Amino acid sequence: MGFFDKFKQGLKKTTQLLNTDIRDLFKREGRLVDEAFLEELFAILIKTDIGVQAGRQIVDQVQSDFRGRVVHLEDVLDTIRKKLKSLLAQTGEPIRWAETKPTVILVAGVNGSGKTTSIAKLAHMLRQQGKSVVLGAADTFRAAAVEQLTIWAGRTGCQIVTGPQGSDPASVAHRAVATAVEQGADVCIVDTAGRLQTQQNLMQELGKIRRVIGKQIPEAPHEVFLVLDATTGQNGISQAKHFSEAVDATGIVLAKLDGTAKGGAVVAIWQAMQLPVKFVGVGEQPEDLIRFDADNFVDALFEGLLGTS
Amino acid sequence: MREGLELVRNALLEADVSYSVVKDFVDRVGAEAVGEAVLKSLNPSQQLAGVVHRELINLMGPVDHSLHLRGDLTILMLCGLQGSGKTTTCGKLGRMIRERGRKPFLVAADLQRPAAIQQLHVLGEQLGIPVYSEPGTSDPVAVCQNAVKEAKKQGADVVILDTAGRLHVDEALMDELRRIDRRVSPEQVYLVVDGMTGQDAVNSAKAFNEALELDGVVMTKLDGDARGGAALSVKQITGVPIKFIGVGEHLDALEEFHPDRMAGRILGMGDMLSLVEQAQQKVDQEEMARAQAQLEKGEFTLETFRSMMAQTRKMGPLQKIMGLIPGMGAANKMMEGLDAEGDLNRIFGIIDSMTPAERRNPTKLIDQSRRRRIATGAGVEPHEVNDLVKQFDGMASMMKRMNSLGIRERVKMMNELQSGGFLNPGAQLTREKKGTGKRLTPAEKARAKKERERELRRKKRQQRGR
């Protein structure tokens, strides 16, 4: 670099400084909104798994709002938080209750996302509310999945309907709903085998389970929950899309949010198809399922990410 | 160039490669590509694509698929987050090891999740592999220690420990893992990672690696549409090789990891889109336009032919290109065992040995002596020059006809050509040389020749009939 280049660069900084808003000059430890600042912001957003598109949108917005001004990163994040909170905010009950009992909930998701554990927690929550619950163990594929749910049924005090391994999951679902109707149970939760959303035949099987339930009670299933692993990245969008197509998912249960993963993929999913998060799994104990709260979720989204880039 | 890098960056981020890994990668590749582009002054985007692909492969390599099994007793330990696929992988590994003629022994050390022990027992039963468990205990360290003793007693030589899924921030459980590691000291510790993991992959992999000093990684659930960027993140953070990938729910769905395939997957290649990109990058648009214009005027020379073939070739091996085009599967099958590349080389050789005048009007100009000269120059037999000229004749007349047709008729015609004896009935692509194992007598040769000629006449008649 020649002498003149250095000189010019020095001048450039001064010019930039002169172009900044005069109010910003008096802010303590503020930062100029320049390429580096925007890149840092982008990094923080990406680390939440929010995705390139949504991240880029937010950064572009910040750029047009604050470009050339001196700000605190924390203030900018505050603005973003407010926007995300209003975007994700929900009103009303997380579960659409049936007018006449039972309310049927179908639970689906990819392998290992935490379906069975989430169902156990959900059952526990409903039992705490004094509701009677029938579980349908329609995961007849994975080894010992039925046993796993049976143990949970015992712990939470629910009735369970099972079938032998390898049997038709739709028939188990059918019997579970029939049992719930017969006994006048408040809620029937049907577990299904984990499946990747690209497995056509298995997705069709899921559609069949849904139809079989619908034949017994016309409005059922009242809720179809997609269980999403919070550590999942951009593939979550594909999961939400395909499961919605196959069984008309009505909401997401975001499992395993007690780790360091942020679960930002649900923001991208909301933007793409307005599929809301209903519950959040935050531990291994039966009571570790809480209602989704946009404020808490968004606050946690950027926690621990500042100054790490 | 900058735009190219931006595209690469977004592709990697969308594939869930961790941000810090992407940043380092793009910075380094950018620097390298600039250096190389200056050196070789090639098309920069083409250069970039090559560098990116190569670098990705480098980063995810070197491959090491060995389980490093010892002669006597080898202990493998699997660990990972909840739901990453440890128990299934345990069964798959057991199956793989038994296929290699060893005696695997599975240990159900997951005492957390209800029915995890039963799950492993069911898998063991399906595979006919012994499974060790201690119902009623709550100390996985003791279970592992007892299991190793039991395995020795039973004469097994590979013990696989299936530990409980745990969060990397759960200090108590991570400590338990460390205790198992100390007491049993497994030869190989593998981290099982969900192939759909997002940005958090770096955090968990780092924590597990610090606690246990991993020896390898198994990546699961890659049979879906996840791009699997976590593979790159985990490799970068831990530095240990990715050994296997899980590609299905069935117990034989465990494959060795290949960095080249993974690189393609992460970049989202291997589909029609990438072919288009390749074509745009590699085909000289101007040259193609010129060839097109010439064709439309009905001027088809060997020069045009050569430049067209050369352009096609830039995209990659012919067979691979055909494979990428939907509906070309049949043509691809036809090409099996054919030495298409060698054929093309010979054709280039022949055309390059011609004078410009000969290339423009081969049928009229090339006589016996010219033919001999060209053949010597290209290192082929004189009849091969003749074959090419004949083939060219067929093609030229076809091209002329094609120009007067609409697009639909053109496609129809191409299909006919493909199903019938290709462009010139006499011309055949050379097969890869294979001995037939028998020598023909002169009489037999004559008969075969007659047979061929009859076939040729029949085909010609058919063509005229149309």
Side-chain angles (χ1 to χ4, degrees), chain A residues 266-287:
Chain A
V266 298
V267 177
I269 292 173
W270 173 261
Q271 286 185 331
M273 59 195 74
Q274 274 78 51
L275 193 61
V277 185
K278 301 269 184 155
F279 296 99
V280 177
V282 288
E284 295 215 303
Q285 299 309 310
E287 56 275 10

Side-chain angles (χ1 to χ4, degrees), chain A residues 35 39-40 42-43 46-49 52-53 56 110-113 117 141-149 151-152 155 165 193-199 202 229-236 238-239 242 256 258-262 284 309, chain B residues 2 6 9-11 13-20 23 81-84 88 112-120 122-123 126 165-170 173 194 196-201 203-204 221-227 248-250:
Chain A
E35 283 298 325
E39 190 55 38
E40 195 174 313
F42 184 63
I46 284 295
K47 282 176 185 171
T48 67
D49 279 324
V52 174
Q53 211 189 343
R56 185 50 65 198
V110 299
N111 315 61
S113 57
T117 310
F141 179 81
R142 203 197 70 201
V146 173
E147 283 86 340
Q148 190 182 346
L149 196 65
I151 292 169
W152 278 117
R155 286 187 196 166
Q165 200 186 347
R195 63 203 75 216
L196 295 185
Q197 69 275 20
T198 47
Q199 293 162 329
L202 292 182
D229 187 331
T231 59
T232 304
Q234 297 312 297
N235 193 248
S238 164
Q239 288 177 24
H242 285 92
K256 309 183 204 174
D258 44 336
T260 46
K262 302 294 187 180
E284 295 215 303
S309 59
Chain B
R2 264 194 84 148
E6 184 71 22
R9 189 176 84 142
N10 286 351
L13 288 175
E14 267 158 21
D16 289 324
V17 182
S18 133
Y19 178 84
S20 48
K23 193 166 184 299
L81 300 173
Q82 290 99 334
S84 55
T88 308
Q112 296 283 325
R113 182 163 58 99
I117 297 175
Q118 280 98 316
Q119 188 185 350
L120 198 63
V122 173
L123 292 180
Q126 281 173 10
R166 62 203 74 213
L167 280 174
H168 53 286
V169 285
D170 189 330
L173 284 178
D194 186 331
M196 299 181 286
T197 314
Q199 297 288 324
D200 196 45
N203 300 329
S204 51
K221 306 183 205 171
L222 283 175
D223 45 331
D225 58 356
R227 302 261 295 275
E249 290 181 287
H250 293 281

Side-chain angles (χ1 to χ4, degrees), chain B residues 222-406:
Chain B
L222 283 175
D223 45 331
D225 58 356
R227 302 261 295 275
L232 191 61
S233 312
V234 170
K235 175 76 213 301
Q236 273 295 89
I237 286 296
T238 63
V240 300
I242 299 165
K243 298 262 178 185
F244 303 103
I245 57 171
V247 290
E249 290 181 287
H250 293 281
L251 290 166
D252 54 354
L254 189 70
E255 288 179 0
E256 290 177 343
F257 173 75
H258 293 283
D260 48 341
R261 290 182 208 162
M262 200 69 212
R265 182 182 185 135
I266 290 176
L267 286 174
M269 302 202 311
D271 46 17
M272 194 56 203
L273 200 74
S274 74
L275 182 68
V276 174
E277 277 166 16
Q278 275 173 341
Q280 277 175 345
Q281 279 168 3
K282 299 194 178 171
V283 173
D284 189 336
Q285 299 289 347
E286 259 177 56
E287 205 171 326
M288 279 308 250
R290 201 160 48 232
Q292 187 68 31
Q294 270 185 322
L295 279 183
E296 270 160 22
K297 274 188 275 172
E299 290 170 19
F300 182 69
T301 68
L302 275 174
E303 262 166 358
T304 339
F305 174 67
R306 190 194 184 288
S307 84
M308 274 165 66
M309 291 314 278
Q311 293 289 354
T312 318
R313 201 176 194 187
K314 272 192 200 164
M315 287 192 268
L318 273 182
Q319 218 144 338
K320 207 176 134 204
I321 298 171
M322 302 282 261
L324 286 170
I325 304 171
M328 283 302 261
N332 210 14
K333 225 172 256 164
M334 218 168 72
M335 285 176 71
E336 251 169 54
L338 284 178
D339 187 15
E341 289 295 310
D343 246 13
L344 214 50
N345 274 334
R346 262 191 297 282
I347 291 173
F348 280 159
I350 296 170
I351 298 176
D352 289 345
S353 304
M354 293 178 182
T355 65
E358 283 167 350
R359 281 180 213 158
R360 275 192 293 274
N361 203 350
T363 331
K364 285 227 175 93
L365 272 179
I366 297 178
D367 56 12
Q368 210 181 1
S369 99
R370 280 178 190 257
R371 188 167 67 219
R372 207 177 308 128
R373 192 203 81 239
I374 294 165
T376 322
V380 297
E381 295 293 322
H383 75 85
E384 288 183 63
V385 180
N386 247 6
D387 287 348
L388 177 66
V389 173
K390 253 194 244 166
Q391 213 172 334
F392 168 77
D393 265 354
M395 244 188 285
S397 70
M398 182 189 83
M399 289 292 181
K400 267 184 203 133
R401 259 210 297 158
M402 256 202 194
N403 275 323
S404 57
L405 297 174

